[in-house]
């Protein structure tokens, strides 16, 4: 028995003010991610950022839409393509940028870089660069909530590649078995690095397979932020109501290579162009313009504001101090003063 | 930290009780579960079955299925879940059946437990305790008998403990749980049935320090875990031929207590390192390197290592015995170190693990 | 340019054996670097240089005995010196004083050598390999006539000048260490270890054998008239003469001179140690075993502070007059396990707190027993203390170390019946003694000094 369902299409009402404001806020969040990522490309090209860097361009609707369904008390566990998740979660652009510059003011004090953004205060648990590695952690966070009686949701993002890992299946089974308050969000962008879904999965309907663990599962148009938000709200409500783990397959696409300057040989230009026509950011902007909810002037003002925010983040990161080499061994183990009976 | 006293039927609590390593470990778990409600035990067969080696027998009945959790056979998922729960403020004790199976969770132990604190710039300590059985000697063959704790002792961010005595089995868990970072406890399978006395006045062990289990003046025999009884037996034999061996029990494999190890060798000028791991790249290699770095001018003989022969552990009893460090081999190595003539034929077994 | 000279490592030292060069021509050295090992009658001492610059020519080769003040090497491009504290007694003998002065911000990295090392060597006309060989064999390149093209010195020239040493003795690191401590020549020890390696037990056997059959005294070993010639470079762990014997002779000579020349007078007083013991108990209460103070630290402190109060006991008798010491530099008598005596110095002891004194003392004793004292720690004592308390005796009447004018002795802290204000109780007490030079002071001065020690020990909290 399949529990997959198609989500309702939301009908934006052009006139209701709070709704319109909310739609504009969604646009702003997605644009912030888009512009931030574009600036990262520049800085990477100028060798200001090093290491691996995986851009979220094309998938903005997923992070922004899912975040709408989460409260500040909920937790997020993410992957190495997490700039978008961190920004949507409210981690300041400046802290993320400084982290990529390897500075002391970075959100992981320069120890993590692009792939390991953490913000304990916002319950943003990284930034995990082992495919599938974050899933058991998320189960553990959810388990702690279950055991302490806190009604919170732990949301774990992962990709279609992780679906092939044992850790996904071990975690799905364990979470369903114990009824853990876990929201599993699979960002299916059709490629595990350079391997197409059909090349690594015998059954490519991921929601169908997740349902086999006894979880409520469905597939969502991940290029439509309203669809994402709607699905995420319903899934999160199900989790909060004690319905155990829920699974969402977000069908999405990354417009850029797997990682900076990776080869893009494994897919057709035409396919990329086809998906770009469904650009989640520009698609929403178009809809809001047509609905007269976004004037050209307002759009320009929004762009200017975001550019200034990102400029400030870059400048602050440039100016920020380096972590001193004397502190190299800091945080390998906790400081001595941390409790000994 | 208060120690809960189990009510006894008798009029007065005896100051010394007879117990076993297994029961001491169970009593440690019981105390932890009673005194801190953040503590829970999770692993395969820890509940209904009572633990693969019977350590958690009776705990399910006392603490219930929420805190004594039978986990599915998915090491990566339940170790990872333990790490997540620890990040969220719990104090999980995760039991992995044997070190061989811990390899299925190596990703979580190395890539998450040991790195999260550093990778997050100090934001996310992981106060988890992971227990597992290690070692050979029970004819369990090559997938249930290896000693891989030395691999874990290679990893910064972890603390690695190897209780070798009943007192340590009883009292290492409290400081391990108090440690804000991940702690791995390796219980040698051959020790569970060892019985002995436990003083009622013993308290938490200092897990930063190695212990001198037998003082001596001629040679330091440095060992840990399941090899400690063998080293003590060898020291007894050596005493009979007039060689005074000091037996040092590492207790903590990471961080190593260089001071205690070094002081001993500075006094005896000779060292024999006994390690059930394979010789190449073993913990014994690390210890002898450190001794050479820090105590070169105190050494009056090359450092001897008695390790396991580099072979997947065989099943047949005679073969297994030949593959492992044994008292006779420790005696031979110690005699070589102090420059006593070694009778021909005694080399058999002493060369366990000597590179061929 | 400056000269590095044979330092004076003790008031009674007038010559030293340059045992080993630790630097060679072309090496950069900084003020305070250890550059050579000098063997005195007492110990092998690492000596530091007081200039920064590039080592030029080595003027004296290893294995040679020369008077104090003899130039041993040239240090080129010596950077200006920082002002030296004028607390060190001036060494006898000449010392090059031509150091140029230029402004230099402290803490800035030292300037690069004015001449690259390679150039410095080409002046001698020998390649780095040949220089290395010469250094190893202790050959002074400047004294060689090069037979290579253009007068260059060749490997063969060096080998002719100093034949290769015999095969290296196989010995364990600890055996080497022990042999150095006991003054045993490893080449004379029969090794019983693996492949004939010498082990610690073999060294001990050799020591016992030597004690049982003392070697006949060699010519030239009596007094210092017999300059030893033909001393070739020796490996550092085999001494030309056994150091313990040499040390015994040095002690014998110094003590005989003291008793011959110095009219000693002796005083003794017994001091109530209960206040000091109470202070120690409080001080040690929360400290780990390794950091605890022992009574000796307080006794040293008291001896040093009292010397500041009674300065006429702190200094030297030279040329028929008393010369006051410019600081209180306490010599501390250290007996060596293999016999013999050293008195390394704690400089400015009166300014140090008891725990710093104690740490310094521990460090000195350890290094003295390992034979690794530095030159500055062997010279400049203005007053010597001998504490035989740990040997269990109560009173020690010592012999003054010339040219000093006093020696303070302490015995063991013991419990004794003690009367205070007409009441009898049991108290810990310690006996302090003074041996003083009657030429410099009279008994009244000595009495003042011992009284000061007694008073100071009643109020350690006020130091």
């Amino acid at each position: 028995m399949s529990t997959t369902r198609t989500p309702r299409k939301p009908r934006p009402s052009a006139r209701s003010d709070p709704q319109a404001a909310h739609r504009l806020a969604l646009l702003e969040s997605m644009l912030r991610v888009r512009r931030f990522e574009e600036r990262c490309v520049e800085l990477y090209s100028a060798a200001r950022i090093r290491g691996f860097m995986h851009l979220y361009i094309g998938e903005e609707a997923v992070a922004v839409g899912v975040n709408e369904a989460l409260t500040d008390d909920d937790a997020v566990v993410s992957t190495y393509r997490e700039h978008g998740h961190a920004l949507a979660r409210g981690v300041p652009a400046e802290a993320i940028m400084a982290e990529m510059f390897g500075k002391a003011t970075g959100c992981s004090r320069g120890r993590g870089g692009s792939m390991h953004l953490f913000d304990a205060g916002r319950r943003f648990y990284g930034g995990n660069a082992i495919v599938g590695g974050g899933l058991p952690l998320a189960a553990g966070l959810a388990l702690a909530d279950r055991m302490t009686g806190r009604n919170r949701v732990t949301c774990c993002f992962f990709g279609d590649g992780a679906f092939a890992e044992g850790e996904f299946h071990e975690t799905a089974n364990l979470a369903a078995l114990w009824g853990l308050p876990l929201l599993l969000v699979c960002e299916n962008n059709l490629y595990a690095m350079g391997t197409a879904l059909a090349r690594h999965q015998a059954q490519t309907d991921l929601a169908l397979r997740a349902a086999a663990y006894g979880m409520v599962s469905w597939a969502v148009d991940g290029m439509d932020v309203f669809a994402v938000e709607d699905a995420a709200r319903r899934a999160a409500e199900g989790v909060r109501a004690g319905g155990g783990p829920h699974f969402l397959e977000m069908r999405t696409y990354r417009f850029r290579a797997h990682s900076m300057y990776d080869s893009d040989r494994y897919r057709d230009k035409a396919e990329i162009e086809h998906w770009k026509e469904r650009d989640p950011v520009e698609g929403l902007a178009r809809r809001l313009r047509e609905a007269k909810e976004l004037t050209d002037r307002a759009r320009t003002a929004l762009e200017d504001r975001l550019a200034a925010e990102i400029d400030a983040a870059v400048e602050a990161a440039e100016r920020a101090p380096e972590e001193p080499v004397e502190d190299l061994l800091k945080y390998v183990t906790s400081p001595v003063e941390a409790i000994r009976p | 930290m208060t120690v809960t006293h189990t009510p006894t039927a008798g009029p007065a609590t005896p100051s010394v009780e007879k117990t076993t390593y297994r029961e001491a470990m169970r009593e440690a778990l019981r105390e932890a579960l009673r005194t801190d409600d953040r503590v829970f035990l999770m692993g395969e067969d820890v509940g209904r079955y009572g633990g693969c080696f019977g350590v958690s027998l009776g705990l399910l009945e006392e603490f219930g299925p929420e805190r004594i959790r039978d986990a599915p056979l998915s090491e990566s998922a339940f170790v990872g879940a333990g790490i997540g729960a620890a990040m969220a403020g719990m104090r999980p004790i995760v039991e992995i059946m044997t070190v061989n199976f811990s390899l299925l969770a190596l990703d979580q132990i190395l890539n998450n437990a040991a790195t999260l604190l550093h990778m997050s710039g100090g934001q996310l300590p992981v106060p988890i305790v992971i227990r597992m059985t290690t070692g050979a000697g029970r004819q369990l063959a090559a997938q249930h008998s290896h000693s891989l704790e030395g691999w874990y002792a290679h990893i910064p961010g972890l603390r690695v403990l190897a209780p070798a005595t009943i007192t340590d089995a009883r009292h290492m868990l409290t400081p391990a749980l108090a440690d804000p970072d991940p702690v791995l406890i390796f219980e040698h399978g051959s020790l569970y049935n060892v019985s002995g006395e436990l003083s009622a006045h013993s308290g938490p062990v200092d897990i930063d320090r190695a212990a001198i289990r037998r003082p001596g003046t001629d040679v330091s025999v440095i060992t840990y875990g399941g090899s400690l009884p063998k080293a003590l037996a060898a020291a007894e034999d050596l005493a009979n031929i007039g060689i005074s061996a000091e037996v040092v029990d590492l207790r903590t494999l990471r961080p190593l207590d260089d001071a205690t190890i070094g002081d001993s060798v500075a006094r005896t000028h000779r060292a024999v390192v006994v390690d059930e791991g394979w010789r190449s790249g073993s913990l014994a290699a690390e210890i002898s390197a450190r001794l050479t770095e820090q105590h070169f001018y105190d050494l009056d003989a090359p450092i001897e290592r008695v390790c396991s022969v580099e072979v997947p552990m065989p099943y047949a009893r005679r073969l297994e015995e030949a593959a492992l460090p044994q008292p006779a081999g420790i005696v031979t190595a110690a005699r070589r170190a102090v420059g006593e003539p070694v009778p021909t034929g005694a080399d058999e077994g002493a060369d366990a693990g000597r590179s061929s | 340019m400056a000269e590095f000279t044979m330092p004076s490592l003790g008031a009674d030292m007038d010559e030293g054996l340059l045992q080993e060069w630790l630097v060679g021509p072309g090496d950069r050295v900084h003020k305070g670097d250890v550059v050579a090992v000098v063997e005195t009658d007492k110990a092998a001492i690492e000596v530091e240089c007081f200039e920064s610059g590039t080592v030029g020519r080595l003027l004296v080769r290893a294995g040679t005995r020369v008077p104090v003040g003899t130039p041993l090497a040239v240090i080129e491009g010596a950077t200006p010196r920082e002002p030296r504290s004028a607390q060190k007694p001036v060494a006898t003998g000449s010392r090059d004083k031509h150091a140029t002065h230029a402004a230099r911000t402290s803490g800035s990295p030292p300037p690069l050598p004015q001449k690259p090392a390679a150039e410095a060597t080409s002046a001698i006309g020998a390649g780095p390999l040949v220089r290395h060989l010469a250094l190893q064999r202790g050959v002074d390149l400047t004294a060689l006539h090069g037979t290579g093209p253009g007068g260059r010195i060749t490997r063969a020239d060096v080998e002719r000048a100093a034949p290769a040493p015999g095969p290296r003795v196989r010995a364990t690191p600890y055996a080497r260490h022990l042999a150095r401590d006991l003054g045993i020549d490893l080449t004379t020890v029969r090794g019983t270890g693996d492949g004939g390696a010498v082990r610690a037990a073999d060294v001990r056997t050799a020591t016992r054998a030597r004690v049982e059959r003392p070697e006949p005294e060699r010519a030239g070993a009596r007094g210092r008239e017999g300059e030893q010639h033909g001393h070739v470079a020796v490996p550092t762990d085999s001494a030309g003469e056994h150091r313990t014997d040499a040390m015994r002779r040095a002690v014998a000579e110094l003590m005989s001179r003291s008793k011959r020349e110095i009219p000693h007078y002796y005083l003794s007083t017994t001091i109530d140690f209960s206040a000091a013991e109470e202070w120690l108990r409080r001080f040690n209460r929360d400290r780990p075993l390794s950091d605890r103070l022992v009574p000796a630290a307080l006794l040293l402190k008291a001896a040093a502070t009292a010397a500041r109060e009674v300065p006429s006991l702190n200094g030297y008798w030279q040329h028929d007059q008393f010369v006051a010491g410019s600081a209180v530099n306490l010599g501390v008598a250290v007996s060596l396990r293999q016999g013999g005596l050293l008195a390394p110095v704690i400089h400015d002891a009166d300014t140090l707190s008891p725990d710093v004194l104690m740490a310094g003392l521990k460090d000195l004793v350890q290094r003295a027993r390992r034979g690794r004292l530095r030159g500055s720690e062997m010279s400049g004592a203005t007053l010597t203390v001998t504490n035989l308390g740990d040997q269990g005796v109560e009173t020690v009447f010592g012999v003054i170390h010339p040219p000093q004018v006093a020696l303070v002795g302490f015995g063991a802290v013991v419990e004794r019946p003690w009367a205070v204000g007409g009441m009898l109780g049991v108290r810990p007490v310690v006996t302090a003694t003074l041996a003083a030079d009657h030429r410099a002071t009279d008994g009244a001065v000595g009495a003042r000094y011992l009284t000061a020690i007694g008073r100071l020990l009643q109020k350690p909290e006020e130091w």
Side-chain angles (χ1 to χ4, degrees):
Chain A
M1 190 202 81
S2 161
T3 42
T4 52
R5 309 172 40 185
T6 339
R8 279 183 300 137
K9 271 275 181 295
R11 293 192 194 76
S13 96
R15 288 284 161 247
S16 89
D17 259 359
Q19 285 300 325
H22 176 65
R23 285 189 284 274
L24 278 173
L26 290 177
L27 177 68
E28 179 172 338
S29 286
M30 289 202 292
L31 256 182
R32 175 176 291 106
V33 176
R34 175 69 53 95
R35 297 295 175 251
F36 185 90
E37 295 292 65
E38 287 166 348
R39 182 65 61 87
C40 286
V41 176
E42 267 177 61
L43 292 162
Y44 197 95
S45 308
R48 302 293 306 149
I49 299 174
R50 296 285 79 192
F52 288 147
M53 189 168 78
H54 310 80
L55 298 172
Y56 202 63
I57 294 174
E59 303 183 19
E60 294 90 343
V62 180
V64 169
V66 169
N67 191 62
E68 290 303 314
L70 302 175
T71 69
D72 286 353
D73 278 350
D74 295 335
V76 172
V77 178
S78 179
T79 69
Y80 47 78
R81 193 182 305 285
E82 88 280 34
H83 302 179
H85 303 137
L87 285 165
R89 190 71 193 148
V91 182
E94 187 180 314
I96 301 173
M97 194 56 86
E99 184 57 32
M100 290 195 269
F101 276 57
K103 295 297 185 70
T105 53
C107 60
S108 305
R109 302 201 71 103
R111 303 300 200 284
S114 164
M115 299 192 287
H116 303 296
L117 305 175
F118 290 91
D119 189 336
R122 292 184 172 80
R123 302 206 73 218
F124 186 76
Y125 294 102
N128 289 281
I130 305 290
V131 173
L135 283 147
L137 291 188
L141 290 163
L143 174 63
D145 286 340
R146 239 288 298 284
M147 292 184 73
T148 53
R150 282 177 296 210
N151 192 4
R152 305 193 293 195
V153 174
T154 300
C155 168
C156 183
F157 291 101
F158 54 100
D160 49 297
F163 212 98
E165 291 281 0
E167 281 180 317
F168 168 77
H169 299 276
E170 291 189 17
T171 304
N173 175 59
L174 181 136
L177 184 70
W178 292 352
L180 299 179
L182 194 59
L183 175 57
L184 297 170
V185 181
C186 178
E187 298 179 317
N188 178 5
N189 61 21
L190 300 179
Y191 292 93
M193 204 161 130
T195 305
L197 189 64
R199 287 179 169 272
H200 70 82
Q201 295 292 342
Q203 164 57 279
T204 57
D205 186 340
L206 305 184
L208 181 68
R209 292 174 61 202
Y213 287 105
M215 292 188 282
V216 182
S217 311
W218 65 90
V220 184
D221 177 0
M223 303 307 266
D224 176 352
V225 71
F226 300 131
V228 173
E229 181 184 0
D230 185 57
R233 282 190 188 283
R234 282 188 295 132
E237 275 160 27
V239 174
R240 282 188 224 282
H246 283 52
F247 176 92
L248 297 174
E249 180 196 337
M250 298 290 176
R251 294 189 173 159
T252 182
Y253 199 81
R254 54 173 160 81
F255 295 169
R256 304 186 62 97
H258 164 75
S259 170
M260 284 301 300
Y261 302 122
D262 273 7
S263 125
D264 227 348
R265 282 182 320 186
Y266 49 88
R267 53 185 190 179
D268 288 343
K269 287 268 184 296
E271 180 186 283
I272 302 173
E273 290 313 311
H274 162 75
W275 278 91
K276 279 188 173 173
E277 286 164 18
R278 309 209 46 240
D279 184 323
V281 184
E282 289 311 324
L284 177 60
R286 204 169 39 242
R287 278 156 81 177
L288 295 185
R289 207 172 47 238
E290 286 163 3
K292 303 277 191 290
E293 291 179 14
L294 177 70
T295 62
D296 285 352
R297 215 174 56 179
R299 169 80 193 249
T300 309
L302 174 59
E303 291 283 8
D304 288 349
R305 199 166 65 244
L306 290 172
E309 183 186 328
I310 293 164
D311 282 345
V314 175
E315 267 166 47
E318 291 270 13
R319 273 199 321 269
E322 302 267 354
E323 218 20 16
V325 173
E326 297 76 72
D327 288 352
L328 174 63
L329 285 178
K330 246 185 165 169
Y331 318 126
V332 175
T333 51
S334 298
V336 180
E337 50 272 20
I339 16 175
R340 264 297 150 70
Chain B
M1 165 148 246
T2 54
V3 179
T4 343
H5 284 289
T6 340
T8 46
T13 320
S15 63
V16 168
E17 54 163 330
K18 280 291 268 190
T19 185
T20 64
Y21 183 96
R22 172 184 292 107
E23 287 163 6
M25 201 54 96
R26 183 184 308 138
E27 203 45 47
L29 288 168
R30 187 175 278 130
E31 181 193 346
L33 286 155
R34 278 185 189 157
T35 51
D36 185 346
D37 51 19
R38 297 170 303 170
V39 172
F40 65 99
L41 176 69
M42 172 164 59
E44 293 156 357
D45 288 319
V46 298
R48 288 259 167 267
Y49 189 90
C52 178
F53 297 98
V55 171
S56 51
L57 206 61
L59 296 184
L60 175 69
E61 290 71 10
E62 185 173 351
F63 298 101
E66 275 288 295
R67 299 184 69 203
I68 308 295
R69 285 186 167 265
D70 279 322
L73 280 72
S74 24
E75 282 77 8
S76 186
F78 69 75
V79 170
I83 295 166
M87 273 199 308
M90 304 295 283
R91 291 291 181 276
I93 302 170
V94 176
E95 175 179 304
I96 301 176
M97 259 186 210
T98 86
V99 68
N100 308 265
F101 311 159
S102 77
L103 302 187
L104 294 160
L106 189 54
D107 165 50
Q108 287 296 332
I109 296 172
L110 170 54
N111 288 318
N112 284 337
T115 57
L116 275 162
L117 179 71
H118 186 81
M119 224 160 48
S120 66
Q123 295 181 85
L124 298 174
V126 181
I128 190 175
V129 172
I130 302 173
R131 301 171 39 239
M132 62 189 96
T133 306
T134 184
R138 291 160 297 147
Q139 286 194 264
L140 299 177
Q143 290 183 343
H144 286 70
S145 300
H146 292 139
S147 290
L148 306 179
E149 52 275 7
W151 289 5
Y152 287 103
H154 179 65
I155 303 173
L158 300 180
R159 178 182 288 272
V160 180
L161 306 180
T165 65
I166 287 173
T167 305
D168 283 1
R170 174 64 186 85
H171 291 299
M172 266 190 178
L173 190 62
T174 299
L177 282 164
D179 193 309
D181 301 314
V183 178
L184 271 52
I185 301 181
F186 287 91
E187 301 159 17
H188 197 282
S190 67
L191 295 173
Y192 286 121
N193 290 330
V194 169
S195 62
E197 293 184 335
L198 179 68
S199 160
H201 305 302
S202 51
V205 164
D206 180 352
I207 54 174
D208 286 326
R209 291 271 164 272
I212 308 285
R213 298 296 183 196
R214 176 185 175 125
T217 53
D218 296 336
V219 56
S220 300
V221 178
I222 300 156
T223 187
Y224 68 92
S227 300
L228 177 65
K230 295 172 175 178
L232 290 167
E236 198 56 41
D237 292 348
L238 286 163
N240 292 335
I241 54 171
I243 295 174
S244 163
E246 176 148 304
V247 179
V248 182
D249 174 6
L250 295 172
R251 275 181 163 175
T252 298
L253 312 186
R254 181 180 189 96
L256 283 170
D257 175 10
D258 287 348
T260 302
I261 302 165
D263 286 353
S264 175
V265 174
R267 276 184 284 105
T268 64
H269 307 293
R270 296 158 204 108
V272 176
V273 189
V274 185
D275 175 1
E276 205 179 291
W278 291 300
R279 184 187 200 83
S280 305
S282 59
L283 190 63
E286 174 65 25
I287 289 165
S288 63
R290 288 189 189 204
L291 287 172
T292 311
E293 287 161 354
Q294 297 164 18
H295 291 279
F296 182 76
Y297 295 100
D298 293 319
L299 291 172
D300 195 34
I303 296 167
E304 296 276 345
R305 283 189 285 155
V306 182
C307 301
S308 281
V309 177
E310 310 215 353
V311 58
M313 201 53 64
Y315 160 75
R317 176 177 289 284
R318 279 193 54 183
L319 295 178
E320 185 184 42
E321 282 174 358
L324 290 168
Q326 300 295 0
I330 301 170
V331 166
T332 305
R335 292 178 71 157
R336 253 201 312 265
V338 300
E340 284 282 320
V342 175
T344 40
D347 257 6
E348 235 181 303
D351 275 358
R354 281 234 159 166
S355 304
S356 38
Chain C
M1 187 199 106
E3 281 171 343
F4 167 66
T5 57
M6 174 59 77
S8 165
L9 304 174
D12 57 328
M13 168 175 166
D14 34 35
E15 59 179 23
L17 171 69
L18 174 65
Q19 193 188 75
E20 188 185 358
W21 276 112
L22 302 176
V23 294
D27 287 353
R28 285 281 305 154
V29 290
H30 299 97
K31 180 175 183 304
D33 283 359
V34 174
V35 296
V37 179
V38 167
E39 191 172 341
T40 67
D41 291 335
K42 294 180 176 175
I45 290 176
E46 297 177 326
V47 297
E48 57 260 70
C49 67
F50 301 102
E51 319 287 347
S52 298
T54 305
V55 178
R57 289 183 310 141
L58 301 183
L59 306 173
V60 170
R61 70 177 195 215
T64 317
R65 188 178 285 280
V66 295
V68 167
T70 308
L72 302 177
V74 173
I75 296 184
E76 287 159 353
T79 45
R81 285 193 234 154
E82 293 130 52
R84 298 238 319 265
S85 62
Q87 304 248 330
K88 290 213 169 69
V90 180
T92 51
S94 67
R95 178 187 272 288
D96 193 296
K97 294 266 195 315
H98 308 297
T100 48
H101 283 269
R104 178 180 146 205
T105 50
S106 68
S108 62
L112 288 169
Q114 290 156 1
K115 270 201 263 180
E119 257 182 76
T121 70
S122 65
I124 297 172
L129 267 171
V130 171
R131 281 198 311 117
H132 179 76
L133 183 69
L135 192 66
Q136 250 189 335
R137 305 269 174 99
V139 172
D140 178 4
L141 285 176
T142 55
L144 286 192
H145 170 69
T147 60
R152 276 180 78 78
I153 294 166
T154 64
R155 195 188 168 97
D157 295 335
V158 175
E159 281 172 346
R160 261 195 307 279
R168 185 170 181 275
V169 176
R170 249 171 89 79
T172 67
Y174 181 57
R176 258 172 218 290
H177 190 128
L178 203 59
R180 212 175 17 242
D181 271 2
L182 300 174
I184 293 281
D185 177 356
L186 272 179
T187 55
T188 65
V189 178
R190 200 175 64 85
T192 62
D194 190 17
V198 175
R199 310 187 49 152
D202 304 328
V203 175
R204 290 210 179 84
T205 307
T207 318
R208 276 197 299 277
R210 210 182 51 195
V211 169
E212 286 152 19
R213 286 182 287 100
E215 296 167 48
E217 264 208 322
R218 275 186 301 228
R222 193 185 318 240
R224 286 212 193 72
E225 311 84 50
E227 265 276 352
Q228 301 196 359
H229 294 291
H231 220 325
V232 289
V234 285
T236 53
D237 49 8
S238 78
E241 49 182 16
H242 295 311
R243 188 167 307 121
T244 38
D245 299 359
M247 186 179 295
R248 204 59 258 164
R249 276 199 302 278
V251 171
E253 187 179 326
L254 191 67
M255 294 296 114
S256 308
R257 191 172 107 208
S258 174
K259 283 301 239 186
R260 250 195 332 267
E261 295 176 2
I262 302 180
H264 287 61
Y265 69 85
Y266 300 97
L267 303 174
S268 162
T269 183
T270 301
I271 298 165
D272 179 351
F273 200 69
S274 50
E277 205 160 72
E278 181 52 33
W279 185 89
L280 279 172
R281 217 190 334 270
R282 277 200 310 276
F283 186 88
N284 286 334
R285 198 167 35 210
D286 304 322
R287 296 183 151 231
L289 211 53
S290 56
D291 293 355
R292 288 191 188 162
L293 290 192
V294 295
L298 290 191
L299 298 174
L300 280 181
K301 174 72 185 172
T305 311
R308 203 172 47 203
E309 285 184 30
V310 187
S312 45
L313 288 175
N314 183 59
Y316 311 105
W317 184 259
Q318 281 174 324
H319 314 300
D320 293 334
Q321 59 174 356
F322 174 71
V323 180
S326 52
V328 179
N329 300 332
L330 271 197
V332 181
V334 176
S335 61
L336 302 185
R337 289 192 181 83
Q338 66 272 22
L341 193 62
L342 282 177
V345 184
I346 302 179
H347 289 270
D348 299 309
D350 58 323
T351 66
L352 305 176
S353 63
D355 48 341
V356 174
L357 254 176
M358 169 111 184
L361 177 69
K362 260 177 140 158
D363 173 56
L364 276 183
V365 169
Q366 272 174 6
R367 283 187 298 110
R369 290 189 170 147
R370 288 210 311 268
R372 297 318 256 178
L373 286 170
R374 294 198 149 199
S376 58
E377 291 161 341
M378 288 298 292
S379 60
T382 53
L383 174 66
T384 299
V385 176
T386 179
N387 176 2
L388 289 178
D390 54 358
Q391 307 295 325
V393 298
E394 287 182 45
T395 312
V396 44
F397 292 107
V399 177
I400 300 167
H401 286 221
Q404 294 161 41
V405 297
L407 178 121
V408 190
F410 291 107
V413 177
V414 288
E415 292 204 322
R416 289 285 176 269
W418 195 259
V420 180
M423 297 287 287
L424 191 63
V426 173
R427 296 258 175 134
V429 300
V430 63
T431 301
T433 57
L434 178 77
D437 185 337
H438 220 320
R439 294 172 304 180
T441 62
D442 302 326
V445 174
R448 220 170 50 236
Y449 178 78
L450 283 187
T451 310
I453 289 184
R455 182 173 34 81
L456 288 163
L457 284 172
Q458 300 317 304
K459 297 205 166 133
E461 64 279 359
E462 292 179 7
W463 295 347

